[in-house]
Amino acid sequence: MSWIITRGGRKVDLINPTAAMIDPTDIAHSLSMQCRFNGHTRSFYSVAQHCYLVADLVPHEDQLAGLLHDATEAYVGDMVRPLKEGMREFYDAHRLVSLFDEVEQRIWLAICDRFDVDPALPASVKHADLVALATEKRDLMPEHPEPWPCLAGIEPIAQFIDPWQPNAAAIHYHHRLLQLMATTHRAGMA
């Protein structure tokens, strides 16, 4: 079995996903229910809210990509950065492609097709993802003296994060996604 059933009752084939299988409501719901950092935060903080923050930190033309940058996690789940990077280093060293990376890439391409987004994330989204991470570290994680190498030279935003409950995160994310889809597609038609 290589498929899952989403909250909306859709069957999504993880090996051969298509744009027709991808639904904004399913993404909003799933990301709102997943806690960042495998739940090791002071309070619940969803992937949906993280993506919303990233979208806030990029120029308007990159906001849809920012909001969707972790949308694959609605289908394959969230994996902590050290594990994901460690797996990639292992597979790169052995000249192999991890099955997880392959599945995640296929889902990403289906998402990009569904929302008419370039699969190559803009530099602004990659930078905003790190700024959001630095802010989340400051506001949501327990104090620890060990530095995070990926955050060298990255400053958090001044505003502190007020975590949303899952239902609020789903509503905010879904509304923003629909709004950005409407404005992005309208701008592309002009």
Side-chain angles (χ1 to χ4, degrees):
M1 183 167 106
S2 66
W3 49 269
I4 63 169
I5 298 294
T6 67
R7 167 75 164 73
R10 285 166 194 78
K11 182 177 172 180
V12 177
D13 186 334
L14 299 174
I15 303 301
N16 294 302
T18 66
M21 296 174 188
I22 307 300
D23 182 75
T25 306
D26 288 337
I27 293 171
H29 174 78
S30 180
L31 296 185
S32 75
M33 299 293 282
Q34 294 183 50
C35 190
R36 292 269 291 160
F37 306 100
N38 269 2
H40 296 286
T41 53
R42 290 187 192 122
S43 59
F44 182 86
Y45 176 73
S46 70
V47 174
Q49 188 173 356
H50 162 77
C51 292
Y52 196 99
L53 175 59
V54 169
D56 278 348
L57 298 175
V58 299
H60 179 73
E61 63 270 14
D62 295 341
Q63 288 180 357
L64 183 56
L67 192 66
L68 291 169
H69 82 280
D70 281 339
T72 58
E73 295 174 15
Y75 303 99
V76 297
D78 192 7
M79 187 183 302
V80 292
R81 182 182 296 254
L83 178 58
K84 195 179 245 186
E85 288 177 1
M87 286 174 54
R88 285 189 181 127
E89 288 173 15
F90 173 81
Y91 283 100
D92 286 346
H94 295 87
R95 298 181 195 275
L96 300 169
V97 175
S98 90
L99 177 59
F100 181 84
D101 281 343
E102 178 66 27
V103 168
E104 187 177 43
Q105 180 63 18
R106 288 178 184 198
I107 292 170
W108 175 242
L109 293 174
I111 289 167
C112 291
D113 187 27
R114 168 64 175 88
F115 296 105
D116 195 24
V117 172
D118 187 334
L121 284 176
S124 68
V125 172
K126 293 176 182 179
H127 179 73
D129 194 26
L130 291 173
V131 171
L133 181 63
T135 307
E136 294 158 357
K137 179 181 185 277
R138 179 196 68 200
D139 297 351
L140 302 166
M141 299 300 292
E143 290 292 326
H144 193 276
E146 192 73 29
W148 293 10
C150 64
L151 295 178
I154 303 291
E155 292 296 322
I157 61 173
Q159 180 183 347
F160 281 81
I161 294 172
D162 182 19
W164 299 332
Q165 291 299 310
N167 60 342
I171 291 167
H172 288 304
Y173 185 98
H174 189 253
H175 176 74
R176 183 86 175 267
L177 181 54
L178 295 180
Q179 178 185 42
L180 288 171
M181 286 170 55
T183 58
T184 300
H185 289 288
R186 266 200 310 264
M189 301 289 254

